[in-house]
Amino acid sequence: MEKSLNWREFVITRAIKASGYSAIVFVLLIFVFLMREGLPALGEVEAGNLLSIRWYPIEEMFGILPLITGSIIVTIGAALIAVPFGIGTAVFISEIAPRWVREILKPLVELLGGLPSVVLGFLGILVLSPFLRVFLDLPTGLTAFTGSLLLGGIAVPTVVSVAEDALDAVPRAYREGAWALGATRWQTIWRVTLPAARSGVLTAVMLGIGRAIGETMTVMMVTGNAPVLALKLGSLFSPVRTMTATIAAEMGEVANGSTHYHVLFFIGIVLFLISLGVNIAASSVVFRAKKRAERILS
Amino acid sequence: MNKIVIENLSLQYSDGTESLRNVSMEIPANAITVLFGPAGGGKSTLLRCLNRLNDLADVEVVDGKVIIDGENILDPKTDVIALRRKVGMVFARPVVLPMSIRANLTYGLELAGEKRRSKLDEAVERSLKLAAIWDEVKDRLDDPAIALSGGQQQRLCLARALALQPEIILLDEPTSGLDPLSTGKVEAALQELKKDYTIILVPHSVQQAGRTADYAAFFLQGELVEYGEGSVIFTAPKDKRTEDYITGRFG
Ligand SMILES: Nc1ncnc2c1ncn2[C@@H]1O[C@H](COP(=O)(O)OP(=O)(O)O)[C@@H](O)[C@H]1O
Ligand SMILES: [Mg+2]
């Protein structure tokens, strides 16, 4: 009895350890592969070409700046939509809605989060983009803005559900403490509940943005796919092309080992570094908040 | 002079618990009135009626009247925010808000629209002195309040309630998590405060009830069993149930 328990303990610990380490190994392998396939691009393409504003691989023009700005503008647009809307919804669900509304909204949001993005892209092409074209009087409805709207929509459920959990975890005593001081419900949310849930809400925002940066299908379907440098505000309403969409669209057609192939991987590296940066920024903010709380509590 | 008059107050939560049954009592100003009895007797529920904090809980039925200074505050037309400024509350677990010591104290006043720095500073010093914690924190008002010890946090909460210059102070087992020394400080502060305020205290033990009560009310399962001067209740209770509880035969 005693013995078999020990044995099971041993196997389970080992299995958990093995899966933990293998996760690290896989990430490393992916990273090595990405580097091996992408870094040669630096040798094959001059820096001037790589940093130019023309992406036209057939003519050996590999300017990746339009793709980077394309990704950035779509992501910023999505964040501007997803963050206020997502946090607002989370506050509504956890602080304001009566219980029966909450019980309908919560599963609904989770359901939306599970919607395949290709379905949203489809809606974007068939409904949203024709509507935007007519409504905003644009030459085409397939623009960065369309992509932002849809990506924002994709990120909202993530933001809502993570932020809602964070708000829910704020002790009821905090709210009652504020109410007992004569704070209105709104003052309590703004000055007490949200600040107390700050680190969780930040995590929600970062996860939402992360989701938006990495999204491929939807942006490929609705942003028009024109690799044009997007620097002005007006670019929001013209077609752009993102890094993810470029890789997805062209990877199937390039010759293995060609310069174009290496540049596509190089874009992958850039994308990887950007998401890494966002993640590190996010976790350091959260970490700092935690650290502070620990220091204060000790 | 009766500050608060409670008439036939009954309260039922939405899950069907009847937490107060036909409670009537008169609470005088400038005294410590103690509500005591075993857990689940409705003491917290009664306190939370006095500042309408129960509005935010799942309450099914509230019946009867709570009259403060001649006005029935259960009336839906009551300005609840103003009421909560007039009736301060301190909870069992100190709830310091996630801000500095100073900000904890000025928070309520700022919500009430007070912006003048001099007024705020004055309120900080006055209320900290009243709560007998000024000497301990005066040099670190800008530190996070959560860095204070439990006993200091609780006195900070008392000070925070006092900063709004309330007329009535409700305390729900304010010393249940504190060591005897801190408990003593809080009790001493209350004895000072009763000269100017109406104090209603739910003590965390019969001993504390005996030590602090000018008036005492014994609650059992939503019912007010006995109410009168503390000196009488704790020496010669009329009801058998009160006597059993005080002598430690149950509860
Ligand atoms: N928010 C609530 N919802 C439902 N029932 C509650 C709630 N708060 C208290 N009660 C019930 O009301 C009764 C009285 O509780 P309470 O006023 O907290 O008693 P006491 O403070 O004397 O221990 C208990 O039976 C308790 O379970
Ligand atoms: Mg209680």
Side-chain angles (χ1 to χ4, degrees), chain A residues 39-54:
Chain A
L39 285 182
L42 289 177
E44 291 161 18
V45 185
E46 294 160 37
N49 187 355
L50 213 51
L51 295 177
S52 75
I53 59 167
R54 287 276 289 150

Side-chain angles (χ1 to χ4, degrees), chain B residues 49-62:
Chain B
C49 284
L50 301 182
N51 65 353
R52 294 265 306 260
L53 208 56
N54 268 337
D55 286 14
L56 301 145
D58 286 325
V59 174
E60 185 89 2
V61 201
V62 191

Side-chain angles (χ1 to χ4, degrees), chain A residues 217-240:
Chain A
M217 218 48 228
T218 315
V219 288
M220 199 154 105
M221 290 167 82
V222 302
T223 52
N225 286 324
V228 182
L229 195 65
L231 288 180
K232 307 182 297 292
L233 194 62
S235 319
L236 197 56
F237 298 100
S238 46
V240 294

